[in-house]
């Protein structure tokens, strides 16, 4: 299999994981970036207060999203871009949780995306004193980007995985995960009315 995946990054308006206000997406095919997309999002109602701490981090103001698509309006576009790809993100649990919680808050069903954490990949690949995205991306040859711009962050995540796969001689994300002793996280489809907890598979 080729090295195919979609890197994703969300910025949020506040501490609620449902408060997505920006997304960046980077599609990788055969180890090369072939498409990028990013846009602002109106956070779901009830999760749309912009807290000072978050604004200080990403610089997105409430007025910036007034004319942006709502989560419901942009959801199909996001899912169409990602397709059935494994999603890559730095601290992937956060970004996948944003997808789920914002979907739950708006009554949408989130696809059961698989994910690989570029933070974990970086920790296994590089010898650094910090594995924050700017430091890990620099080690992967992607330096001087606008951290906390969702598209720039997604591009940085993509580069970490591309570089790590080259170093490991891995042909795809599954081989990369296996070579580093990591796992591709994949939700289990519930087989009863009671939700089945998520598990990780190699």
């Amino acid at each position: 299999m080729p090295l195919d995946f979609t890197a994703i990054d969300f910025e949020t308006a506040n501490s609620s994981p449902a408060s997505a206000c920006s997304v960046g997406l980077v599609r990788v095919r055969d180890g090369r970036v072939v498409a990028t997309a990013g846009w602002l999002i109106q956070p779901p109602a009830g999760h749309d207060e912009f807290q000072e701490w978050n604004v200080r981090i990403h610089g997105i103001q409430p007025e910036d999203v007034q004319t942006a698509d709502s989560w419901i309006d942009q959801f199909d576009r996001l899912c169409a871009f990602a397709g059935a790809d494994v999603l890559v993100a730095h601290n992937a649990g956060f970004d996948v949780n944003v997808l789920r919680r914002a979907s739950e808050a708006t009554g949408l069903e989130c696809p059961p995306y698989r994910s690989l954490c570029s933070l974990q990949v970086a920790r296994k690949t590089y010898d650094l004193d910090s594995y924050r995205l700017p430091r890990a991306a620099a080690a992967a040859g992607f330096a001087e980007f606008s951290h906390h711009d969702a598209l720039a962050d997604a591009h940085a995540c993509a580069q970490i995985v591309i570089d790590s796969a080259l170093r490991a001689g891995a042909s795809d994300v599954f081989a990369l995960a296996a070579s580093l002793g990591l796992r591709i996280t994949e939700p289990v489809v519930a087989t009863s009315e009671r939700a089945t907890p998520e598990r990780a598979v190699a």
Side-chain angles (χ1 to χ4, degrees), residues 183-202:
R183 297 182 177 186
I184 302 291
T185 300
E186 183 172 352
V188 175
V189 177
T191 57
S192 66
E193 291 183 4
R194 187 174 180 178
T196 304
E198 187 182 84
R199 64 181 170 90
V201 298

Side-chain angles (χ1 to χ4, degrees), residues 90 118-119 122 126 128 130-145 147 152-161 163-164 167:
H90 214 64
S118 60
L119 173 59
Y126 310 116
L128 305 173
S130 168
Y131 292 91
R132 293 182 64 250
L133 185 56
R135 296 296 299 276
F142 191 81
E144 303 300 325
F145 66 97
H147 188 28
D153 283 2
H155 205 155
C157 294
Q159 189 58 45
I160 290 169
V161 171
D163 181 65
S164 297
R167 291 171 183 246

